[in-house]
Amino acid sequence: MNEFKYYFELGINHILDINGLDHFFFIIAFCLLYKLSDWKEIIKLITAFTIGHSLTLILAGLNIVSMPMDLIETLIPITIMITCFGNFYFLFKSKEQQKKKGYFYTILFFGLIHGLGFSNFIKNMFFEDESIIIPLLSFNLGIEIAQLLIVFGFLVILSIIHIFIKELKWSRIIINSLILISILNMMLF
């Protein structure tokens, strides 16, 4: 049980680490289109991201997939930027139209890229022992829980603000996407 707790906490800390804000920015970016009442769709998308992240951790750990870290470190902010620009497009589409456009699969694919960013650490940590099931399961469960807590906390705050500012949806998506794009621009250049 100590092993499970250790890796679970490691997964949570991975998401909350100030040096790894890419996950935080990414999940906030794709959740800007949603309200708290869309919680089922939010859980699906966050889980898609975690599944993608988990798959590349496993594949990289088993030396099946390998990419240059410089390329991955460039692609991760680009995934966030694409998501922010996508927010402008989806702003005028219904939730049903978003689903038809394969948003779930886009988030899953971007999760694959983000997972590669952590793959070297995982190779050194998880794959020294024979059993990787408990460490990977508990680590990814920690990631999932941390992401859900961040998003739901963020959406609760936005819901409270929305009580006072009725036209928040459009401005929230536009302003927050532009802020994320600006931050990422500074990170890339």
Side-chain angles (χ1 to χ4, degrees), residues 6-45:
Y6 173 77
Y7 288 109
F8 179 80
E9 289 175 357
L10 188 65
I12 289 174
N13 291 333
H14 172 60
I15 298 300
L16 300 178
D17 183 6
I18 194 74
N19 295 319
L21 288 175
D22 56 294
H23 278 22
F24 179 83
F25 288 151
F26 184 75
I27 61 174
I28 293 300
F30 75 75
C31 286
L32 287 173
L33 294 170
Y34 298 94
K35 298 181 291 190
L36 204 49
S37 60
D38 299 319
W39 63 272
K40 288 181 185 176
E41 189 64 25
I42 294 166
I43 289 173
K44 280 190 232 175
L45 293 173

Side-chain angles (χ1 to χ4, degrees), residues 153-169:
F154 180 74
L155 292 175
V156 165
I157 291 168
L158 287 179
S159 297
I160 292 169
I161 293 170
H162 185 72
I163 293 169
F164 301 105
I165 305 171
K166 296 296 179 193
E167 297 299 320
L168 182 64
K169 180 185 176 190

Side-chain angles (χ1 to χ4, degrees), residues 5-189:
K5 182 182 177 208
Y6 173 77
Y7 288 109
F8 179 80
E9 289 175 357
L10 188 65
I12 289 174
N13 291 333
H14 172 60
I15 298 300
L16 300 178
D17 183 6
I18 194 74
N19 295 319
L21 288 175
D22 56 294
H23 278 22
F24 179 83
F25 288 151
F26 184 75
I27 61 174
I28 293 300
F30 75 75
C31 286
L32 287 173
L33 294 170
Y34 298 94
K35 298 181 291 190
L36 204 49
S37 60
D38 299 319
W39 63 272
K40 288 181 185 176
E41 189 64 25
I42 294 166
I43 289 173
K44 280 190 232 175
L45 293 173
I46 290 173
T47 301
F49 182 71
T50 304
I51 290 169
H53 189 270
S54 302
L55 285 173
T56 48
L57 290 179
I58 293 167
L59 294 173
L62 295 172
N63 292 318
I64 296 172
V65 172
S66 180
M67 290 182 72
M69 198 50 72
D70 291 346
L71 176 62
I72 295 164
E73 292 300 323
T74 301
L75 288 175
I76 288 173
I78 290 172
T79 65
I80 301 168
M81 247 186 224
I82 290 170
T83 303
C84 290
F85 285 122
N87 288 343
F88 299 123
Y89 172 77
F90 285 126
L91 181 61
F92 303 104
K93 305 291 181 187
S94 70
K95 297 288 184 259
E96 288 305 312
Q97 288 172 311
Q98 291 174 25
K99 290 178 193 174
K100 289 178 187 172
K101 295 293 182 182
Y103 206 48
F104 177 88
Y105 296 108
T106 303
I107 300 300
L108 177 75
F109 177 73
F110 287 168
L112 293 169
I113 294 169
H114 283 250
L116 287 170
F118 203 61
S119 62
N120 285 339
F121 177 76
I122 294 301
K123 281 182 193 179
N124 295 331
M125 184 169 232
F126 290 161
F127 294 91
E128 293 173 351
D129 300 330
E130 286 184 27
S131 175
I132 62 167
I133 295 169
I134 296 295
L136 276 175
L137 177 66
S138 53
F139 178 77
N140 286 304
L141 189 58
I143 286 174
E144 183 80 356
I145 297 298
Q147 290 175 154
L148 288 169
L149 290 173
I150 288 168
V151 168
F152 284 110
F154 180 74
L155 292 175
V156 165
I157 291 168
L158 287 179
S159 297
I160 292 169
I161 293 170
H162 185 72
I163 293 169
F164 301 105
I165 305 171
K166 296 296 179 193
E167 297 299 320
L168 182 64
K169 180 185 176 190
W170 294 42
S171 59
R172 171 188 77 194
I173 294 168
I174 293 169
I175 291 169
N176 288 327
S177 291
L178 288 173
I179 289 169
L180 286 173
I181 290 168
S182 299
I183 291 169
L184 292 168
N185 192 31
M186 288 185 290
M187 289 171 64
L188 285 172
F189 303 106

